[in-house]
Amino acid sequence: MAAAARRLLLVAAAAAALLLLLPERASAAAPRKPVDVPFQKNYVPTWASDHIHYVDGGKEVQLYLDRSTGTGFQTRGSYLFGHFSMHMKLVGGDSAGTVTAFYLSSQNSEHDEIDFEFLGNRTGQPYILQTNVFTGGKGDREQRIYLWFDPTKEYHSYSVLWNLYMIAFFVDDVPIRVFKNSSGDLGIRYPFNQPMKLYSSLWNADDWATRGGREKTDWANAPFVASYRGFHVDGCEASAEARFCATQGARWWDQPEFRDLDGAQYRKLREVRQRYTIYNYCTDKDRYAAVPPECAKDRDV
């Protein structure tokens, strides 16, 4: 067995052992309120920096998409676990073909990724929010919802709480998805040992984004603009080679009350499933003959 493979097995075994040693359940709590900071504190442009406009000393940032290019930005550091939040106001009007993304991603071929993707639409039609979780390079865990508000009119908060026990997606403090660590009991890989950067981008994806690519971007409406505030990052910063967070168990998002959602949060999640969900891989019988095993454990069906 190659040395790298042995190391990976040892890391996985250590993580599973740690989960067994810790208490199974505690009363849950809502994530702490994000702390708004200027863009420059945590982020830098990734590409096409001339398409990023700064307002009020970086307290607000606007991304521009035109026929020539979109643009994006990323965090200065990489993180293993934490709470990450962004206030966003999406492209207004006819946004068909455009995608505004906010996500975490590792930097290798078997990458881990935690995605918010906002799929634009024709004027008067609602945005679609798609979420996905990649572990060890495997995704195919898409969920799509309509939002219960117009995300182009005002700023709204989109956040991820990620620790050794679960990944929880929130919209304005409402949980819209949970993905639990099932590596020990179900053998499903979980992102726990690959540091991730946060990214955001605005780009043209009219080959797939709106009605499967049938609705194309209308460049007569360019430039398309998405706006950002907040830039909250509260994570365990790690080097690219880190395998565990050096502060494991010492941060607020590592405490027992953040290892699961509570009853009220699960009721809100169930309402999102019943009222706003338009696609959930967990219930896609054409794609999966049997319900993926993590779906029942996550109580997210």
Side-chain angles (χ1 to χ4, degrees):
M1 183 182 295
R6 284 198 301 271
R7 286 196 299 270
L8 185 57
L9 287 174
L10 289 171
V11 169
L18 181 58
L19 279 172
L20 291 173
L21 290 172
L22 292 167
E24 289 186 4
R25 192 72 180 266
S27 59
R32 290 186 181 177
K33 184 177 180 181
V35 177
D36 295 345
V37 297
F39 172 86
Q40 296 88 343
K41 178 176 174 61
N42 290 321
Y43 288 93
V44 294
T46 306
W47 49 289
S49 59
D50 61 325
H51 280 55
I52 301 179
H53 294 199
Y54 302 89
V55 179
D56 195 14
K59 291 182 179 179
E60 178 180 330
V61 164
Q62 299 171 343
L63 302 192
Y64 280 66
L65 166 66
D66 56 29
R67 190 182 288 272
S68 66
T69 185
T71 187
F73 56 85
Q74 66 183 52
T75 48
R76 297 176 181 273
S78 298
Y79 300 90
L80 270 171
F81 308 133
H83 181 233
F84 312 98
S85 174
M86 190 73 71
H87 300 295
M88 300 171 62
K89 183 166 63 174
L90 303 183
V91 175
D94 185 348
S95 57
T98 70
V99 173
T100 309
F102 174 52
Y103 62 102
L104 295 100
S105 181
S106 63
Q107 310 300 306
N108 49 33
S109 57
E110 289 196 351
H111 75 287
D112 297 332
E113 191 167 303
I114 303 168
D115 295 335
F116 281 105
E117 291 181 309
F118 302 88
L119 313 183
N121 220 324
R122 294 262 89 101
T123 301
Q125 298 300 312
Y127 258 84
I128 292 173
L129 169 54
Q130 174 171 286
T131 59
N132 204 351
V133 177
F134 286 76
T135 61
K138 180 189 181 301
D140 298 329
R141 299 185 177 100
E142 298 92 346
Q143 294 182 356
R144 291 185 172 190
I145 68 171
Y146 288 132
L147 296 166
W148 48 93
F149 52 83
D150 184 343
T152 73
K153 298 300 184 183
E154 304 289 343
Y155 279 94
H156 291 269
S157 172
Y158 307 92
S159 60
V160 170
L161 177 67
W162 168 40
N163 57 33
L164 188 60
Y165 305 90
M166 70 170 181
I167 298 164
F169 296 74
F170 294 88
V171 174
D172 288 341
D173 297 325
V174 175
I176 64 163
R177 182 171 189 172
V178 62
F179 183 81
K180 295 182 181 178
N181 187 344
S182 300
S183 58
D185 54 349
L186 301 178
I188 296 168
R189 291 182 65 170
Y190 183 83
F192 72 91
N193 67 335
Q194 298 189 109
M196 293 197 264
K197 286 181 179 289
L198 282 89
Y199 299 86
S200 194
S201 57
L202 173 60
W203 49 292
N204 178 43
D206 65 2
D207 58 330
W208 67 271
T210 306
R211 297 185 64 219
R214 293 189 293 275
E215 301 281 358
K216 300 300 183 181
T217 304
D218 184 353
W219 294 109
N221 296 316
F224 303 97
V225 181
S227 302
Y228 297 77
R229 291 178 182 167
F231 310 109
H232 167 84
V233 173
D234 184 357
C236 180
E237 191 163 0
S239 72
E241 300 302 318
R243 294 301 182 189
F244 284 104
C245 174
T247 59
Q248 178 67 43
R251 305 288 281 271
W252 69 264
W253 34 259
D254 259 337
Q255 301 310 303
E257 59 266 34
F258 298 101
R259 294 174 187 169
D260 199 355
L261 303 181
D262 64 19
Q265 289 171 324
Y266 271 116
R267 286 192 290 275
K268 290 180 179 178
L269 177 60
R270 187 167 59 250
E271 182 179 4
V272 169
R273 287 289 155 266
Q274 293 172 346
R275 299 184 60 184
Y276 303 109
T277 298
I278 55 176
Y279 177 81
N280 185 352
Y281 82 106
C282 290
T283 58
D284 189 340
K285 295 182 180 179
D286 293 332
R287 194 172 179 184
Y288 299 102
V291 175
E294 71 273 15
C295 295
K297 177 178 179 179
D298 295 348
R299 297 168 62 186
D300 196 7
V301 291

